[in-house]
Amino acid sequence: MKQADFLQMVMPFKDKLYRLAKRLLVSNEEAEDATQEVLLKLWSKKTKIGTYSNVEAFAMTMTKNYCLDKLKSKQASNLKLVHSNYKDENTSLQKEVELKDSVSFVHQIMDELPSQQKIIIQLRDIEQYDFEEIAKVVDMNPTAIRVALSRARKYIRQELIKKHNYGIS
Amino acid sequence: MELANIENLLEKYFEATTTVQEEQTLQLYFSQDNVAPHLQEYQPMFQHFANLRGEQSTRNVPLKPRKNYLKWISVAAVFLLTTGLFFNEWNEQRLASEAFEDFKTTMTMVSKNFNNGASHINHLNQFTETTNKIFITENN
């Protein structure tokens, strides 16, 4: 397999790897490192790539494992929190400010979730994978995934409502 | 999209029994401006998911693993080391045999000249012979 072929195969899901890594590792730099590491590993196994049934799911699993290892290791204690820039919305100014505020609050809530739920939310609500695809990555059965997903979504809702009612953040 | 349907989907959404298509419908509904007031508290959630979907990696992938590089350097180092040692050994042998050859030629030269000199000395025997003849006759 040539380098160009490999890049062509990898490019469609490179950003998905990055987003999953970023969800777990928070820092932009760490996520870029993780993506690079996973792609290099994949490249070094290029002769075997034809035997994988689903390269994307395989790469996602590698990313997940890499990030969880990273979190377990000591280096995780040096992670910085990086704020993302949120897009402008076409709502009125006051509403916009309010919404921005709530949106970054959602981010905070998501950071509080356990890694497993973070991964599932990321794969489902952001990458819109179906349950079979998620099952390949996280190695759980669809029922367990559904329960975890429901729990994570309800947790976000509950925290949002709490904030809505008391105005605390 | 009628409100009742959205409420219904939202209910299912939190039980995680919606399909990907139904979730896309919800996404679409919450991405527009006129969201029903009692559902607005869910908007940030979907908004945030949409934002996160837009994140992109900015770094290019360098497909030159450093691992290979190191491997070749070590191979080259071992090669240099062995050839160096071999060369050293061979050089020493060559120097020794050269010195031996030098010594041999010098020694042959010396012995040749010595023999040459020694053959000239043979002429001195003539004197001994003649003096002997003289002494012998005188004594008689």
Side-chain angles (χ1 to χ4, degrees), chain B residues 17-29:
Chain B
T17 49
T18 37
T19 64
V20 173
Q21 282 73 30
E22 287 168 335
E23 283 168 23
Q24 278 167 350
T25 314
L26 282 174
Q27 284 281 354
L28 199 69
Y29 175 77

Side-chain angles (χ1 to χ4, degrees), chain A residues 43-154:
Chain A
W43 171 243
S44 67
K45 287 187 188 133
K46 58 182 181 292
T47 45
K48 280 190 256 164
I49 250 172
T51 62
Y52 303 141
S53 56
N54 188 339
V55 181
E56 182 178 328
F58 184 71
M60 287 298 256
T61 313
M62 279 169 79
T63 311
K64 182 204 75 175
N65 291 337
Y66 179 87
C67 292
L68 292 182
D69 282 352
K70 246 317 66 126
L71 286 175
K72 257 188 234 160
S73 77
K74 266 190 192 164
Q75 281 164 295
S77 56
N78 301 330
L79 288 181
K80 313 179 285 280
L81 218 120
V82 177
H83 296 284
S84 325
N85 296 321
Y86 298 110
K87 276 184 245 150
D88 281 345
E89 308 303 330
N90 299 327
T91 39
S92 71
L93 185 65
Q94 198 203 342
K95 225 182 156 190
E96 195 183 309
V97 170
E98 229 171 61
L99 197 63
K100 244 185 184 169
D101 203 35
S102 308
V103 165
S104 61
F105 185 64
V106 176
H107 198 87
Q108 278 179 39
I109 300 171
M110 279 177 67
D111 279 342
E112 288 165 14
L113 290 170
S115 304
Q116 191 71 275
Q117 291 183 15
K118 251 187 232 174
I119 295 167
I120 293 173
I121 281 270
Q122 172 69 23
L123 294 180
R124 179 62 174 204
D125 280 326
I126 289 134
E127 309 301 354
Q128 300 178 328
Y129 277 29
D130 58 40
F131 283 121
E132 283 95 77
E133 286 172 307
I134 298 174
K136 274 184 206 141
V137 178
V138 294
D139 198 23
M140 286 164 72
N141 66 33
T143 323
I145 292 169
R146 182 163 288 135
V147 170
L149 182 62
S150 166
R151 207 167 280 163
R153 282 169 174 174
K154 279 177 178 163

Side-chain angles (χ1 to χ4, degrees), chain B residues 73-108:
Chain B
I73 278 196
S74 57
V75 167
V78 166
F79 177 74
L80 278 178
L81 204 71
T82 43
T83 46
L85 281 175
F86 174 75
F87 221 73
N88 210 18
E89 195 86 344
W90 180 76
N91 219 18
E92 255 169 29
Q93 262 179 22
R94 195 180 56 105
L95 278 178
S97 62
E98 223 168 51
F100 177 66
E101 286 300 320
D102 272 0
F103 180 71
K104 225 162 90 178
T105 45
T106 326
M107 287 322 271
T108 357

